[in-house]
Amino acid sequence: MLTIPLDGDVAGAATWRVRLTHRLARHIRTSPVELAPATPLVSFTFDDVPVCAATTGAQMLEAHSARGTFYISGGLIGTQARHWRVADADHITALHTAGHEIGSHTYSHIFVPNLRSESIVAESQRNAECLRAVVPGLTLESFAFPFGFGSLPAKKTLASIYRTSRGIGPGLNVGRADLQLLKANPLMDGRLDAAGITRLMDEALEKKGWLVFYGHDVVENPSPYGCSPGLLETALRAAGDRDIACVPVAEALRRAL
Ligand SMILES: [Zn+2]
């Protein structure tokens, strides 16, 4: 069994200091931009990347001509976690070959707010080396905060390494936005239903915004941090019904700037 905690497990136990640091990081934009995509966009993202996300989830996206972003911690590759087995090198290669984006988490899936800048750089470099050993020449443009928690210093450091850092604060990315704390909405059966998906998609359409979803496993009876294939299918169909392109984070950013 893996001892590294999963996304969500630590969030509930974060200290007041971490929460305060994160709140500041949310309110002060370190990489402000004006996002104005010509068309609404959706990005499906998966953290840690359970095998079922890399197989079932990826295949479902592909069936809808969609591609997603898979944020990987090198230190978790091929391990058994509490709720799922983590994708191995062959799964990562297959995702890349199919046109999905490989994004970066910290190598050890470590909580970022407690890290010094040098440690964030070291974690990022180690993760890049690990992932490039799997996919030679891989470009890593997108980062996701493990557990969704960031800090102001971390955002500044990460801005020198990645184009974007994704959090877990809900909402639509449009207009004035912070590239180092992209908003993302949980694609999790316990937190979102078909009506919620309809509302988010209609808002993306109306405001011509960039809607990002995040999740983990894609399986019947998912963990509290994942979704059933049915919920993912509902989201993919809702995007398709509205002619909203579903593209990876790096591609969406290029279209939104
Ligand atoms: Zn994670």
Side-chain angles (χ1 to χ4, degrees):
M1 285 288 284
L2 187 69
T3 53
I4 297 170
L6 299 161
D7 290 327
D9 286 356
V10 162
T15 63
W16 65 268
R17 233 179 104 182
V18 164
R19 289 185 178 283
L20 186 64
T21 305
H22 178 67
R23 188 174 295 182
L24 271 175
R26 267 177 45 209
H27 289 289
I28 301 176
R29 299 185 182 103
T30 53
S31 303
V33 292
E34 199 68 27
L35 293 176
T39 62
L41 298 165
V42 169
S43 294
F44 289 96
T45 72
F46 301 89
D47 290 9
D48 307 352
V49 190
V51 170
C52 55
T55 53
T56 306
Q59 286 157 15
M60 289 181 66
L61 263 61
E62 290 158 27
H64 287 264
S65 302
R67 295 295 184 274
T69 297
F70 295 76
Y71 294 102
I72 295 173
S73 282
L76 301 186
I77 291 173
T79 58
Q80 178 64 47
R82 186 185 307 167
H83 296 290
W84 52 69
R85 173 163 284 282
V86 178
D88 62 22
D90 288 345
H91 294 121
I92 296 167
T93 301
L95 286 172
H96 175 74
T97 303
H100 298 285
E101 178 185 14
I102 305 300
S104 190
H105 243 2
T106 48
Y107 175 84
S108 341
H109 203 266
I110 197 168
F111 214 35
V112 164
N114 299 333
L115 292 183
R116 289 173 173 278
S117 177
E118 311 86 81
S119 301
I120 293 173
V121 171
E123 280 274 337
S124 295
Q125 285 176 346
R126 192 171 178 200
N127 211 37
E129 282 164 18
C130 175
L131 290 171
R132 284 183 194 131
V134 176
V135 180
L138 180 68
T139 304
L140 292 164
E141 299 179 68
S142 310
F143 176 82
F145 288 101
F147 316 106
F149 282 88
S151 70
L152 277 177
K155 290 198 319 183
K156 285 181 182 156
T157 301
L158 289 163
S160 67
I161 306 172
Y162 304 104
R163 299 292 315 279
T164 61
S165 295
R166 199 220 67 215
I168 57 169
L172 193 64
N173 298 288
V174 70
R176 197 105 168 118
D178 186 351
L179 292 186
Q180 293 308 317
L181 199 57
L182 286 179
K183 292 176 185 169
N185 304 273
L187 190 64
M188 301 173 187
D189 290 66
R191 299 178 60 185
L192 189 69
D193 58 11
I197 288 172
T198 297
R199 197 176 58 247
L200 287 170
M201 291 285 181
D202 284 345
E203 190 189 0
L205 197 61
E206 184 195 329
K207 296 182 179 167
K208 231 193 257 185
W210 175 19
L211 179 63
V212 179
F213 287 109
Y214 76 97
H216 293 82
D217 45 331
V218 181
V219 66
E220 297 298 344
N221 303 313
S223 77
Y225 316 114
C227 73
S228 60
L231 192 70
L232 178 56
E233 184 67 23
T234 298
L236 284 162
R237 285 188 185 169
D241 289 347
R242 294 164 179 77
D243 281 327
I244 302 179
C246 300
V247 296
V249 168
E251 172 62 20
L253 178 67
R254 280 188 271 280
R255 298 188 189 189
L257 287 177

